[in-house]
Amino acid sequence: MKLLTDEQIRDFRQFINAHDFFYLTGHKEPDCDCICSCVALSLLIDSFGKPFQLLNAGPFKRTEIKKYESMFSNAMQFLTEDERRRTALIIADCSEYSRLGDIEGDVKNLDTCIIDHHKTASAPENALCVIDATAPSTCSIVQLLYEGIYGAVPQQAAEILFTGFCTDTGFFRFLSTDSAEVFKATARLVSSGANPRTTYEYITGGKSYDSRKLLGAALNNAEQYLDGRLVVACETLDDTQKWGQAGRDSDALYSLLLSVHGVEAVVFARQETEHTCTLGFRSKDAIDVSAIAAQFGGGGHKNASGASCNGQLETLIPVIVKSFARIM
């Protein structure tokens, strides 16, 4: 993770000071890092005495973000043309308008700031970009912005940022030997009041019985490919209909399957509608799944990426396996 420069802090502060109203948003089907980044940014904007609106297309499927759902809307507050000229858009945890999903209103043609940590980021023209693909989470970048402006993160924001950070790093499991600055940063959040034990219990607890059965169905559907190095698990429409969508836990699925001896990459394919699927990719070490995700209109990190695309599981899975065969 890179430390932000004085210039980046100054530019972000000037961006806030230059506008009277803010839309804060992130990608559709948000994860905890996305939502916590937006909520923490709203606290930062509020500290400047500036009004804002939190936007997200949803759906809020993950248990750990349910408590924030009521704070967000999928319809933009109406503004006059004169008000829009003094309004800014801040996008957290992604950088493409297309990944925002169906938000009612025109998110384009606003002064825009991108705060993101994804390798495949492609920002709108003329946007102010605070993008660091070496950062473990978007919450980590928001923390540095907070600290650059105020010197320390207040307790409420520290708890929120620590939660988003922990989900994106698998509670530190995905960090490597170049993470000294990351641990220093999270130590500062703990000093400000974030509690690792209660955060872990919050993230991992509260799952429904049906969500465990749905996880079991995905595991039962899993198949090995490429001499066992690749595992593809899937969730069918029948699985969803039987067990529901609440508390989907793909993170646990990835962890279980990546722990299998010889497995180097895992794909989780979910049939969302009759003609659309979402895809999740996880890998170990040298395998760059962001390159695979990009082939299906998605992106992300080297070892963790995702995509949404048209298609059905029966035809998509063979294409996915062929893509992995070229790099494994």
Side-chain angles (χ1 to χ4, degrees):
M1 181 175 72
K2 301 174 184 175
L3 299 178
L4 297 182
T5 65
D6 292 341
E7 182 181 6
Q8 287 175 304
I9 300 296
R10 184 197 67 217
D11 289 347
F12 183 71
R13 184 191 288 110
Q14 290 177 348
F15 183 84
I16 297 175
N17 286 328
H19 300 92
D20 296 338
F21 186 84
F22 295 84
Y23 294 114
L24 307 172
T25 190
H27 55 80
K28 62 184 178 181
E29 195 167 335
D31 58 10
C32 196
D33 185 38
C34 173
I35 292 301
C36 287
S37 295
C38 290
V39 175
L41 282 166
S42 74
L43 296 175
L44 180 58
I45 297 298
D46 185 63
S47 72
F48 278 75
K50 306 270 182 142
F52 60 86
Q53 184 186 14
L54 287 162
L55 296 169
N56 198 280
F60 284 65
K61 298 177 182 175
R62 297 171 181 262
T63 306
E64 64 269 21
I65 62 173
K66 279 292 184 180
K67 73 175 186 180
Y68 298 114
E69 185 173 7
S70 62
M71 301 173 64
F72 289 78
S73 171
N74 64 358
M76 297 173 71
Q77 177 179 325
F78 174 77
L79 298 175
T80 66
E81 284 302 312
D82 185 56
E83 288 171 331
R84 277 182 66 90
R85 281 192 286 271
R86 301 191 303 274
T87 295
L89 175 71
I90 300 180
I91 302 175
D93 206 40
C94 76
S95 57
E96 302 90 357
Y97 292 130
S98 60
R99 292 202 62 211
L100 301 182
D102 296 326
I103 293 176
E104 184 179 327
D106 182 13
V107 297
K108 299 181 180 179
N109 303 313
L110 292 167
D111 287 343
T112 300
C113 174
I114 305 294
I115 304 173
D116 194 15
H117 74 128
H118 290 97
K119 177 182 176 182
T120 53
S122 178
E125 188 177 359
N126 298 322
L128 172 65
C129 294
V130 188
I131 299 174
D132 178 11
T134 69
S137 67
T138 299
C139 279
S140 297
I141 301 174
V142 175
Q143 176 187 351
L144 295 180
L145 289 170
Y146 230 120
E147 291 173 339
I149 292 172
Y150 288 116
V153 180
Q155 181 173 351
Q156 183 182 8
E159 292 172 343
I160 293 168
L161 290 169
F162 188 71
T163 301
F165 163 85
C166 286
T167 57
D168 243 34
T169 64
F171 226 96
F172 302 94
R173 297 196 318 273
F174 307 144
L175 300 179
S176 58
T177 54
D178 59 351
S179 302
E181 288 297 334
V182 177
F183 278 94
K184 292 176 185 177
T186 54
R188 295 195 297 272
L189 293 178
V190 173
S191 294
S192 292
N195 187 316
R197 182 173 66 182
T198 58
T199 300
Y200 180 80
E201 292 171 350
Y202 170 72
I203 292 171
T204 59
K207 310 297 185 184
S208 69
Y209 176 76
D210 284 352
S211 76
R212 305 298 87 183
K213 298 291 285 187
L214 185 60
L215 176 61
L219 286 169
N220 192 55
N221 294 336
E223 298 287 349
Q224 290 183 300
Y225 299 91
L226 307 179
D227 299 322
R229 291 177 294 158
L230 172 68
V231 174
V232 180
C234 64
E235 179 185 319
T236 68
L237 288 175
D238 287 343
D239 295 330
T240 307
Q241 184 176 11
K242 185 174 182 179
W243 301 114
Q245 300 183 34
R248 283 172 163 175
D249 197 7
S250 54
D251 291 339
L253 178 73
Y254 297 130
S255 180
L256 286 167
L257 293 176
L258 283 171
S259 69
V260 175
H261 177 71
V263 172
E264 300 174 22
V266 171
V267 179
F268 181 37
R270 178 187 289 136
Q271 192 78 52
E272 297 286 358
T273 70
E274 287 188 12
H275 304 291
T276 62
C277 289
T278 55
L279 308 173
F281 306 88
R282 298 293 186 275
S283 67
K284 297 178 180 177
D285 305 325
I287 298 175
D288 186 354
V289 292
S290 69
I292 304 292
Q295 297 175 29
F296 296 90
H301 307 290
K302 176 182 175 182
N303 300 122
S305 292
S308 298
C309 63
N310 295 325
Q312 296 181 322
L313 295 174
E314 296 78 9
T315 54
L316 272 175
I317 290 175
V319 176
I320 293 168
V321 173
K322 286 182 180 178
S323 296
F324 272 94
R326 298 188 186 102
I327 65 171
M328 292 180 70

